[in-house]
Amino acid sequence: MTKFPPGKGQVLYAKSKVYLHLTSSKKDNVCGFLTIIKPFPTSTNEELIIAFIPETDLSPTDREALVYFDLYGLDGEKFDFYSSASNDTMDSQGHNSNKPKVKKFIDRPKLSSISSYAFGVSINQLYSIQVRPKTSNLWEGSIVLHPKHEGDRLPSLFFHDDESPGTKREQQLKRKTFNPFSDNSINGNSLYWGGDRFLSCLRNYADLKESTLESGMFLVNCTGEDALNFVPNILDQSENGANLDLRSNFNHFLNSAKWKVLTGLASITGFTKNNINKAIDNKLLPQTIQQFIERPEIRQITDEFDSANIYLAKWALNVQEEAERNRKMIIGNGYYKELISAELGDGFVELTPLEVSKAARKEPINKEKWDSFFDSNGCLQYTVDEVLEQVFHCGLEMGVREEAWPLLLGVYPWDTTANERKQLRKTLENNYAEYKNNWMADLTKQKNDAFWKDQKARIYKDLKRTDRDIELFAASKEEQEEDDALEYDDENDTSLFYNKNLVVLRDILFSYNEINYNLGYVQGMSDLLSPLYFVFRDETMTFWAFQRFMERMERNFVRDLSGMKTQMVTLTELVQFMLPDLYIHLEKYDANNLFFFFRMLLVWFKREVSFYDTMELWEVMWTDYYSSQFILFFALAILQKHSKIIIQTLKGFDGILRYINDLSGSLDIGDLLTRAELLFIKFKQMVELIDRNATKLQSQNTTNGSPENSNGNPLKHTVSTELRGLLSREIIIQKEETRTSETPFG
């Protein structure tokens, strides 16, 4: 047994120029060495320590030892990296063993330190390692060590390859052997980088299993229980899976042609909300469509929002004959079914109770944990994505939202200090005061402008019924009775509301008109505003949070309803793609238009979940952690959760619509968010599989000199633009067209 010098541990791996990024400023970075240390001669592999040691903590002797080991410790001074000449560094399969060629010892590392940024964790206390290789978009690759104890959160470690003598030598030697690639390919990244050797070395001492749910996440010495959460393909799949009779053609012709007619109608000045509602009330629509609209379950939706009536009427005016043709065209495609079944297994999309329970959400972020994300100057000391991941999986306690929401919504940039945010707030206060003064001082417009009067009436009407069951917006019984009896009188606008908080909401909505005159106020916007004010209790902050929220939500309210149309079409395709059995059942009973989701998507489930659950749901959506359209996967999760009941017990349109409507108030958002995440991950895997296979088929066809093979042209089997867009985290911005004198109100 090798004797160690007193108080020393043996270096098994060392990498120089590894940094902690404490803030967005380079001057605050902490430079050090990432090491794997054997603390005692008798230490087992599980007792080895992975440690970050700042350069400033090292004695001259230890620094010299680590600098040498970084350059020559694993390869020697005369051996070519990964070359056949280095036989003593190769294992039986001809790969470099990544074992030390020299013996170097340093002081046993600290597992934690109050006086410095040093930290360490033994392998037996390490749960997982998150790896982000260097790419064209990431100048530095990084790793994050996740200990088994959730409270022991460790910062990200960034590999500055261009500064590390060891990494530069390794890259040079690999190029000489015409092998510039990494041993651990992640996300398709294959070029060598500093963190790749760390993984290769660690594999000598621990079993690393990459998660199939999250690329780059490696479980360390994982147990069967750990694998259930991260490697779903080993789950019990004894239940019959969904019939993955996936459809490749979603009839874009139907949707495009239909919508051209509808948007054409919307452009006619006379075709306004009042005309649509009059046509419905006076039974002027075709009989079959009129009967459809008059069903109680449909009325329950359309009575909530005028735009639902317009959407439904426009859709119904043109869809009946086309839907019959569409039903014949969508017959399913065995190509997808065979591909998914062969590569991912039957029942891949099914979510087992065990799978859902193992991926359950974590405790909400409290004030102490939120504050730990920032340094003493209020600078973020983690990456933005790390914070977004925490918010996505945990949500926020109420006391944290006032600080967190402005960052999530983009009111404040993430790379600001606390003092800079304070200064920015003063600027925002001045700007808001200017917008508010503009309309308050323009008495002529208030008295004579028809559009202004229309906006006033709409805002007043909606605020009277916005969250009056919440104490902040409620009135006393006597005041409520008098307020309910009061009709809006434009000539006598002295006291619209008895509740001062509703007056604040009114002023914010009037002021928003100043910066978005083209859109103006549209029914439903008050639903988006009230939770913001509930959190901030401040007029200025609420205004700017609402303005940023509306940037992504404006497409829900544009006059031609094209934003909502796109989302409804995408949701329909998503159901066809992920839940084909359910879609076929809905289609059988004329419920495949998914109209019951119109209201839910319009205001992000504000009317379907409790006021407090709404806040948690929205802050998760604001992270855009997986997709900027993750709300569609939340809707998909509702259908997936209830699909068996719908298929097995509901045999008619009325029953299906009533069942979905009755879910309002009983949705478990924690469970649904978990399901939505799992469904997104499965969706991404399916898309990637189809893309890989399409590329393979295309390559084979090119080689064979034939445009197609037995499976047909592979281009026919690619994923639609709408579905592919669900993989993007970029927020979709759709602005209303310029308002003219011919533009109808509302």
Side-chain angles (χ1 to χ4, degrees):
M1 183 182 297
T2 303
K3 290 187 177 181
F4 289 8
K8 301 284 187 176
Q10 183 183 359
V11 181
L12 303 180
Y13 166 85
K15 179 59 62 183
S16 65
K17 302 304 177 182
V18 176
Y19 284 78
L20 304 182
H21 292 181
L22 301 182
T23 71
S24 59
S25 175
K26 292 182 179 179
K27 65 182 177 63
D28 295 326
N29 290 350
V30 176
C31 182
F33 287 81
L34 177 62
T35 64
I36 301 176
I37 305 295
K38 185 176 183 178
F40 302 99
T42 58
S43 297
T44 64
N45 285 348
E46 288 194 341
E47 294 170 333
L48 301 183
I49 296 174
I50 301 173
F52 173 77
I53 309 173
E55 290 182 349
T56 54
D57 285 14
L58 293 167
S59 66
T61 303
D62 284 357
R63 180 183 175 87
E64 182 181 350
L66 290 177
V67 168
Y68 181 88
F69 197 97
D70 175 45
L71 278 167
Y72 310 115
L74 296 175
D75 306 310
E77 295 185 21
K78 299 180 180 180
F79 287 82
D80 289 338
F81 191 64
Y82 284 161
S83 74
S84 58
S86 304
N87 292 327
D88 54 346
T89 68
M90 299 289 172
D91 61 19
S92 60
Q93 283 74 41
H95 300 295
N96 189 290
S97 66
N98 292 297
K99 293 288 184 69
K101 287 210 63 178
V102 297
K103 290 184 178 179
K104 291 291 181 179
F105 299 89
I106 64 170
D107 291 341
R108 282 193 289 271
K110 305 172 183 177
L111 296 184
S112 63
S113 174
I114 298 177
S115 59
S116 79
Y117 290 99
F119 64 82
V121 59
S122 60
I123 290 178
N124 60 11
Q125 293 301 312
L126 191 60
Y127 182 70
S128 64
I129 301 174
Q130 189 172 1
V131 182
R132 302 169 187 148
K134 179 179 178 179
T135 66
S136 59
N137 296 324
L138 294 174
W139 187 249
E140 293 99 11
S142 66
I143 67 168
V144 183
L145 304 174
H146 297 287
K148 291 181 178 179
H149 298 290
E150 196 171 318
D152 301 334
R153 182 179 173 85
L154 301 177
S156 299
L157 297 164
F158 293 87
F159 292 75
H160 288 219
D161 293 347
D162 57 328
E163 300 177 32
S164 173
T167 300
K168 288 193 286 187
R169 179 174 186 264
E170 291 163 356
Q171 290 172 331
Q172 181 182 14
L173 292 173
K174 284 175 71 67
R175 285 195 293 269
K176 286 182 179 180
T177 60
F178 303 99
N179 179 24
F181 304 108
S182 63
D183 275 359
N184 305 275
S185 179
I186 300 167
N187 281 332
N189 183 76
S190 58
L191 291 179
Y192 184 80
W193 65 292
D196 183 66
R197 198 68 182 276
F198 170 75
L199 288 177
S200 297
C201 288
L202 187 57
R203 291 184 189 276
N204 286 319
Y205 313 110
D207 177 46
L208 303 183
K209 187 181 295 294
E210 186 173 10
S211 166
T212 59
L213 293 182
E214 184 172 355
S215 181
M217 180 68 76
F218 291 86
L219 298 182
V220 180
N221 294 333
C222 79
T223 64
E225 183 178 358
D226 295 334
L228 288 175
N229 195 15
F230 283 89
V231 192
N233 59 326
I234 70 171
L235 290 170
D236 179 14
Q237 296 183 355
S238 59
E239 295 185 20
N240 291 327
N243 174 21
L244 296 178
D245 189 13
L246 301 176
R247 297 147 187 271
S248 61
N249 294 316
F250 299 134
N251 200 349
H252 292 282
F253 169 78
L254 166 64
N255 291 319
S256 300
K258 177 182 66 182
W259 208 253
K260 286 180 182 178
V261 175
L262 305 190
T263 52
L265 288 171
S267 67
I268 301 173
T269 304
F271 198 74
T272 62
K273 288 184 174 65
N274 289 335
N275 289 353
I276 283 290
N277 291 328
K278 286 178 181 178
I280 295 171
D281 292 339
N282 295 326
K283 304 184 184 303
L284 299 178
L285 299 178
Q287 183 177 1
T288 55
I289 298 173
Q290 187 76 41
Q291 291 173 349
F292 179 79
I293 291 175
E294 289 181 346
R295 295 187 185 194
E297 294 77 16
I298 292 292
R299 278 293 189 180
Q300 184 176 337
I301 299 173
T302 59
D303 287 348
E304 290 283 345
F305 296 102
D306 290 340
S307 55
N309 256 341
I310 295 178
Y311 177 88
L312 182 58
K314 291 182 177 182
W315 166 81
L317 286 169
N318 297 274
V319 75
Q320 188 175 12
E321 183 179 347
E322 293 170 339
E324 291 296 332
R325 295 198 300 268
N326 183 43
R327 205 169 283 115
K328 297 176 183 177
M329 293 173 64
I330 301 181
I331 58 175
N333 192 317
Y335 166 80
Y336 283 143
K337 178 181 179 180
E338 294 173 6
L339 178 63
I340 299 297
S341 177
E343 297 291 335
L344 300 176
D346 292 330
F348 174 71
V349 179
E350 285 291 304
L351 300 181
T352 66
L354 182 60
E355 188 177 1
V356 173
S357 66
K358 288 295 182 180
R361 292 175 60 73
K362 302 174 184 177
E363 289 295 315
I365 297 171
N366 57 28
K367 187 66 164 62
E368 181 181 3
K369 187 172 183 179
W370 177 259
D371 289 344
S372 73
F373 296 157
F374 301 84
D375 63 16
S376 57
N377 293 320
C379 283
L380 193 66
Q381 54 183 351
Y382 297 95
T383 66
V384 174
D385 268 356
E386 286 174 322
V387 178
L388 295 180
E389 183 274 330
Q390 288 287 302
V391 175
F392 180 90
H393 286 113
C394 303
L396 302 166
E397 287 190 353
M398 182 60 73
V400 177
R401 287 173 173 146
E402 186 176 359
E403 293 183 32
W405 280 16
L407 291 164
L408 291 173
L409 286 165
V411 177
Y412 296 146
W414 284 98
D415 60 349
T416 53
T417 65
N419 187 58
E420 288 169 339
R421 291 192 286 274
K422 187 181 295 183
Q423 294 300 316
L424 182 57
R425 174 166 181 149
K426 292 180 180 178
T427 300
L428 295 175
E429 288 175 347
N430 293 335
N431 290 344
Y432 175 66
E434 180 179 350
Y435 297 139
K436 185 175 179 179
N437 289 335
N438 284 344
W439 66 263
M440 292 189 72
D442 195 345
L443 299 179
T444 301
K445 181 169 73 172
Q446 293 185 37
K447 185 174 182 180
N448 301 320
D449 189 281
F451 175 66
W452 172 265
K453 292 181 178 181
D454 175 79
Q455 292 288 281
K456 254 186 178 180
R458 293 178 185 278
I459 291 171
Y460 173 62
K461 178 182 178 181
D462 277 6
L463 286 180
K464 277 185 63 177
R465 57 188 183 184
T466 297
D467 296 317
R468 301 308 295 269
D469 56 327
I470 303 299
E471 185 177 356
L472 186 69
F473 306 118
S476 66
K477 182 178 179 180
E478 293 76 17
E479 290 172 339
Q480 188 66 57
E481 289 175 351
E482 185 176 348
D483 193 42
D484 288 342
L486 180 65
E487 293 295 333
Y488 176 71
D489 181 6
D490 184 60
E491 300 299 325
N492 184 22
D493 185 21
T494 57
S495 178
L496 285 178
F497 306 106
Y498 290 104
N499 186 313
K500 63 180 182 181
N501 296 306
L502 294 182
V503 177
V504 174
L505 297 187
R506 178 201 66 182
D507 291 352
I508 291 173
L509 293 172
F510 284 164
S511 300
Y512 181 72
N513 272 9
E514 292 294 314
I515 63 172
N516 198 348
Y517 172 77
N518 291 329
L519 180 65
Y521 178 79
V522 182
Q523 187 182 18
M525 288 166 56
S526 62
D527 283 290
L528 305 182
L529 175 62
S530 57
L532 300 175
Y533 182 71
F534 184 88
V535 167
F536 294 115
R537 312 292 172 100
D538 176 88
E539 187 171 345
T540 297
M541 285 306 301
T542 303
F543 172 83
W544 288 110
F546 178 68
Q547 182 267 331
R548 295 311 298 266
F549 190 16
M550 281 300 301
E551 282 190 355
R552 72 163 75 212
M553 296 298 286
E554 183 167 348
R555 71 176 184 143
N556 287 16
F557 298 98
V558 293
R559 282 183 292 277
D560 66 4
L561 296 173
S562 57
M564 283 301 299
K565 170 259 181 180
T566 299
Q567 292 175 79
M568 295 293 286
V569 168
T570 304
L571 178 60
T572 301
E573 293 194 5
L574 186 61
V575 176
Q576 289 174 321
F577 189 71
M578 297 291 287
L579 305 173
D581 282 350
L582 176 63
Y583 182 82
I584 292 170
H585 182 79
L586 295 175
E587 184 181 47
K588 183 178 179 181
Y589 298 106
D590 296 331
N592 56 313
N593 58 69
L594 304 181
F595 177 70
F596 36 78
F597 276 112
F598 181 92
R599 178 184 68 185
M600 302 179 190
L601 295 178
L602 184 71
V603 290
W604 277 14
F605 292 85
K606 174 71 167 7
R607 304 288 180 92
E608 283 69 40
V609 302
S610 74
F611 187 83
Y612 297 94
D613 282 348
T614 296
M615 291 185 278
E616 180 180 355
L617 177 63
W618 287 3
E619 64 201 10
V620 169
M621 297 301 152
W622 292 337
T623 66
D624 302 311
Y625 182 66
Y626 284 115
S627 167
S628 63
Q629 300 186 80
F630 195 74
I631 195 71
L632 297 184
F633 286 90
F634 187 81
L636 181 70
I638 295 174
L639 291 175
Q640 184 278 327
K641 183 175 182 178
H642 298 274
S643 60
K644 288 184 179 179
I645 294 177
I646 294 173
I647 292 173
Q648 294 173 5
T649 66
L650 302 178
K651 306 300 182 182
F653 174 86
D654 291 348
I656 293 171
L657 193 57
R658 187 180 302 112
Y659 181 84
I660 297 296
N661 285 343
D662 289 347
L663 292 177
S664 179
S666 62
L667 297 175
D668 181 347
I669 70 163
D671 176 73
L672 291 172
L673 284 171
T674 298
R675 290 174 183 271
E677 179 179 15
L678 293 173
L679 287 169
F680 176 88
I681 293 168
K682 291 175 184 287
F683 167 77
K684 184 178 180 182
Q685 289 176 295
M686 291 166 66
V687 172
E688 290 173 346
L689 173 61
I690 292 168
D691 284 349
R692 286 197 303 271
N693 202 67
T695 301
K696 179 181 176 181
L697 291 175
Q698 197 166 24
S699 176
Q700 291 174 349
N701 292 338
T702 302
T703 303
N704 297 333
S706 172
E708 59 183 27
N709 59 15
S710 59
N711 285 319
N713 189 336
L715 293 180
K716 292 182 180 179
H717 304 309
T718 56
V719 179
S720 72
T721 302
E722 288 79 10
L723 290 180
R724 193 174 299 281
L726 296 175
L727 297 174
S728 172
R729 298 176 63 184
E730 184 178 353
I731 297 173
I732 298 174
I733 305 295
Q734 180 180 352
K735 307 297 289 185
E736 180 59 274
E737 295 181 356
T738 302
R739 181 177 293 278
T740 69
S741 59
E742 300 298 321
T743 302
F745 299 158

